[in-house]
Amino acid sequence: MKESSKKGFLIHVVPLSGVGKVRRYLMTHFLVKLITGTVIFFLILNLFLLVYLFNIEVDKSKLNFLIKENSFLTKKISSLMLKNDSLIKKIEKLANEINRLRNHAGLDAIDEDFLKMGIGGRLIPNQDLKSLEKRIDYMLNLAREFDNKLEEVKDIVDKKKNELEHTPSILPVISGFIVSGFGYRRDPFTGRIKLHEGIDVSSGFGSPVISTAKGKVTYSGWREGYGLTVEIDHGYGFKTIYAHNSKNLVQVGETVKRGEIIALMGSSGRATGVHVHYEVRLFDKPLNPINFIIPDHLYFD
């Protein structure tokens, strides 16, 4: 029970059992205000505490996110650094291979300043990640293109090498000297002016006669006027003929390499002495064999 007055409130506390003394408490207006203010203060304090704790949780969540993001970026940059190093090694390897091929082809090596410009400098860790990724992607595409170009160069070089292997380029003897050249001359048997379609190279009887390029034997036997003859098809339109042999050592269908012995020198057929009559034909047109002989292998007596 409560009674009010100007001084405050009088509160009567009656026992629930109805037995006992009734207690009276005077609650002044000041005390009521004090209690109310205290309650409000603690409510506000609790509200601030809740807000503070919530902010702490939010900050902690942000911090965890930033830590994870930093870890991810660190790993990403580390991966990009490794890719960059790998690409630099690959480009350097490709450059060395291309320089080897260029040297083989008699070309100048790739300029070192150009290589440095193409490879670029080291990656900067605090550089924008997207910029780093774009650079790596660009270098990857560049390396792939570089690789494709290298394959093209290899194909060209391999084709050229194969063509050179099948192109007559040496004398048809290990040692000897040219006794008659290519061109019009007086036939020693008829006395008439006639085109001598090859060159005559002399050495000792039974000396090795060698193939002047890689090819396949298309004829091995006796031919009128030529005596024992070997004919080789080298592809690319080239064909060589070796005549007046004392013995042929290869059969039709055999593949021979440059420098391989194919016959022994003799004087079979229409020959005035021991020598090998050697012809070079391109699409069956006789050409001067001198133009297909490496100068270092020319010997004149």
Side-chain angles (χ1 to χ4, degrees), residues 54-287:
F54 176 77
N55 287 334
I56 289 178
E57 288 298 320
V58 170
D59 290 341
K60 185 185 293 185
S61 177
K62 287 182 179 179
L63 180 61
N64 290 333
F65 173 78
L66 291 174
I67 290 173
K68 289 180 180 179
E69 186 177 34
N70 182 66
S71 176
F72 169 77
L73 291 175
T74 301
K75 290 179 181 178
K76 190 73 174 178
I77 291 174
S78 177
S79 175
L80 291 174
M81 296 283 284
L82 290 174
K83 284 185 179 180
N84 184 68
D85 293 341
S86 176
L87 285 172
I88 289 175
K89 289 179 181 178
K90 184 172 184 179
I91 290 175
E92 287 176 345
K93 183 179 179 181
L94 289 173
N96 290 333
E97 182 68 10
I98 288 178
N99 279 337
R100 185 185 69 81
L101 294 174
R102 290 175 68 87
N103 181 64
H104 180 73
L107 301 173
D108 293 334
I110 298 174
D111 186 70
E112 289 188 5
D113 292 335
F114 172 77
L115 285 178
K116 289 178 181 178
M117 181 178 65
I119 293 172
R122 292 184 175 276
L123 288 175
I124 304 171
N126 61 357
Q127 190 174 348
D128 180 67
L129 184 60
K130 288 186 178 179
S131 298
L132 294 177
E133 290 177 336
K134 286 182 179 179
R135 178 182 172 184
I136 292 297
D137 289 339
Y138 172 77
M139 291 182 69
L140 282 170
N141 291 330
L142 183 64
R144 280 192 287 267
E145 185 64 24
F146 207 179
D147 209 359
N148 291 336
K149 293 297 181 183
L150 177 60
E151 289 300 321
E152 292 177 2
V153 172
K154 281 184 176 179
D155 289 341
I156 293 172
V157 171
D158 288 342
K159 288 177 181 177
K160 188 65 178 177
K161 181 181 178 182
N162 188 63
E163 184 179 344
L164 291 174
E165 285 180 349
H166 289 79
T167 302
S169 59
I170 61 174
L171 278 170
V173 296
I174 295 174
S175 64
F177 53 93
I178 298 173
V179 294
S180 182
F182 175 89
Y184 287 93
R185 67 171 188 175
R186 191 176 297 278
D187 190 297
F189 292 95
T190 65
R192 297 177 181 177
I193 300 298
K194 184 180 179 182
L195 176 64
H196 187 230
E197 296 183 339
I199 61 174
D200 295 337
V201 185
S202 181
S203 189
F205 186 88
S207 296
V209 176
I210 60 176
S211 173
T212 59
K214 187 176 181 179
K216 181 179 285 188
V217 178
T218 53
Y219 186 86
S220 180
W222 187 273
R223 181 173 288 178
E224 185 66 28
Y226 281 68
L228 283 174
T229 303
V230 172
E231 183 178 288
I232 300 175
D233 185 354
H234 303 283
Y236 302 96
F238 283 108
K239 180 171 66 176
T240 54
I241 297 172
Y242 313 78
H244 306 310
N245 305 322
S246 62
K247 184 178 182 180
N248 290 347
L249 303 178
V250 291
Q251 302 295 323
V252 173
E254 286 187 38
T255 298
V256 294
K257 297 179 181 179
R258 177 184 287 118
E260 186 174 335
I261 300 174
I262 58 173
L264 300 179
M265 189 178 292
S267 56
S268 60
R270 294 178 60 195
T272 57
V274 176
H275 70 278
V276 58
H277 173 76
Y278 172 59
E279 294 182 14
V280 175
R281 293 177 175 267
L282 181 60
F283 298 109
D284 212 33
K285 178 183 178 180
L287 302 174

